[in-house]
Amino acid sequence: MSRFGAAILGCAGERLTAEEKALYAGMKPFGFILFARNLSGPEQIRALCDEMRDAAGFDAPVFIDQEGGRVQRLRPPLAREFRPPLEDAGLGARAFYLRARIIAHELRGLGIDGNCIPTLDVARDETHAVLQNRCYGRDVATVVEHGRAVVDGLMAGGVLPVMKHMPGHGLGTLDSHKELPRVGAARDELDAVDFAAFRALRDVPLGMSAHLVFEQIDPRPATISPVMVRLIREEIGFQGLLMTDDISMEALSGTVAERGAAALAAGCDLVLHCNGDLAEMQSLWERCGEMGVQAQTRAEAALSARRVPDDVDIAALNAEFDGLIA
């Protein structure tokens, strides 16, 4: 198998342009990601997913952020509306399994087979509002229990999970879409809380990095820090496919291509680029190229983790979930 391009890419609109098709055919990105700008109806979404896979030349995974609450790209009538995860934290692991299994059913019906959850950041009072209610709990045990339930629900529904934001964003007090958060916590606290949540789910096939600095460990943002990526691999023990958070977020400095190259040099396997800007995607391809040998091996392992959905009564699962929240 030829190597994948070291990226997951978005697109500008509801169908691919000729220029996007040409780029994807040449680059063969590992996967794609969809946003609200790409989504108008079931037939259109399925057609777009088919176009992406056809352009890449293989059954590439198509990802989305379908968390519930503010970060939910598909909304009624395309998909069920869910509350922010933290608002359901008191309902227990079964509720989180049901959320994930229902979401997986909805995604697969539209041709989407990857979801950028579970969010394993441990919420604190000081966690920035852009993240706080997206978390699964305020202690490690709760986050781990709910995170495992989400992984199980997605996998049962034939959807690949991507755990985020490694190695933990819960102490971030700034919005990394706009600024670079800095965490001054001591190493023992990080080991016992933030890193511990990811260590417990280190067998998940895909993970996403965090754009924040752990000042007691390394002065560089985790996404572009060889020290932090080595910590993710060796101390947390994650051996799956590691993608960056969106490389166009303003927590990172330099051009998009420079950021992507720095992330790959630090040890990330591939670069996530979300905004659909063609020129930026072309610059990433020129600078970042194909996956390395180890990254390719991890990519193939992630693809092999995909399953055929189990046979369930989705109406019954929705009714059970309604009963839990009533």
Side-chain angles (χ1 to χ4, degrees):
M1 177 184 290
S2 61
R3 291 189 195 172
F4 303 118
I8 293 173
L9 301 177
C11 67
E14 295 181 4
R15 299 300 292 266
L16 296 187
T17 65
E19 292 80 8
E20 288 169 337
K21 290 179 181 179
L23 174 66
Y24 301 156
M27 187 175 187
K28 194 179 179 182
F30 170 76
F32 301 94
I33 189 163
L34 301 178
F35 286 82
R37 65 178 183 271
N38 309 125
L39 311 168
S40 64
E43 292 183 4
Q44 172 269 319
I45 297 168
R46 287 190 287 267
L48 178 58
C49 291
D50 288 344
E51 282 187 333
M52 289 174 155
R53 293 181 171 114
D54 288 345
F58 74 106
D59 186 18
V62 178
F63 296 92
I64 199 167
D65 294 290
Q66 191 74 353
E67 300 179 6
R70 185 180 65 260
V71 182
Q72 180 169 332
R73 312 305 183 196
L74 292 160
R75 298 193 179 274
L78 292 173
R80 176 175 179 149
E81 189 86 28
F82 286 96
R83 298 187 300 192
L86 194 60
E87 293 185 18
D88 283 347
L91 301 180
R94 179 61 179 172
F96 278 78
Y97 178 88
L98 291 170
R99 284 173 62 116
R101 184 62 188 86
I102 294 164
I103 288 171
H105 176 79
E106 294 171 337
L107 297 184
R108 282 291 298 232
L110 296 171
I112 302 165
D113 60 358
N115 195 2
C116 297
I117 55 173
T119 305
L120 299 183
D121 309 308
V122 180
R124 273 79 151 196
D125 290 343
E126 65 267 32
T127 304
H128 192 280
V130 78
L131 176 64
Q132 188 184 75
N133 69 358
R134 298 164 57 195
C135 299
Y136 292 180
R138 294 179 177 272
D139 61 84
V140 177
T142 301
V143 169
V144 167
E145 182 181 21
H146 293 169
R148 178 62 69 185
V150 166
V151 168
D152 291 346
L154 290 181
M155 294 289 282
V159 170
L160 286 173
V162 181
M163 63 176 179
K164 61 188 184 186
H165 305 83
M166 299 185 76
H169 212 303
L171 286 170
T173 58
L174 299 175
D175 179 0
S176 57
H177 295 86
K178 302 175 181 178
E179 302 176 86
L180 177 61
R182 296 181 178 276
V183 172
R187 179 63 184 270
D188 57 355
E189 178 186 354
L190 296 170
D191 282 335
V193 181
D194 301 84
F195 301 168
F198 290 94
R199 190 176 296 117
L201 274 79
R202 61 185 179 271
D203 59 307
V204 174
L206 299 101
M208 179 187 293
S209 71
H211 298 335
L212 80 168
V213 170
F214 294 91
E215 294 178 326
Q216 300 301 312
I217 303 175
D218 191 77
R220 292 163 290 190
T223 293
I224 58 172
S225 165
V227 173
M228 295 309 302
V229 174
R230 186 163 58 249
L231 182 150
I232 288 169
R233 294 298 190 196
E234 297 178 1
E235 299 185 37
I236 289 176
F238 176 68
Q239 298 303 315
L241 188 67
L242 181 63
M243 68 180 73
T244 71
D245 202 347
D246 182 9
I247 207 68
S248 62
M249 291 163 61
E250 294 307 315
L252 302 179
S253 59
T255 68
V256 163
E258 289 168 345
R259 300 170 191 176
L264 296 179
C268 291
D269 294 317
L270 71 166
V271 176
L272 175 65
H273 183 270
C274 296
N275 66 23
D277 184 288
L278 184 67
E280 290 184 358
M281 292 190 289
Q282 289 170 331
S283 71
L284 278 172
W285 173 227
E286 292 166 2
R287 188 72 181 267
C288 299
E290 295 180 336
M291 284 184 173
V293 174
Q294 285 186 314
Q296 176 80 10
T297 299
R298 294 185 188 112
E300 292 171 359
L303 293 178
S304 71
R306 292 190 289 193
R307 305 177 189 170
V308 175
D310 60 2
D311 186 16
V312 296
D313 183 341
I314 288 296
L317 296 188
N318 272 293
E320 182 182 353
F321 185 73
D322 289 338
L324 291 175
I325 65 176

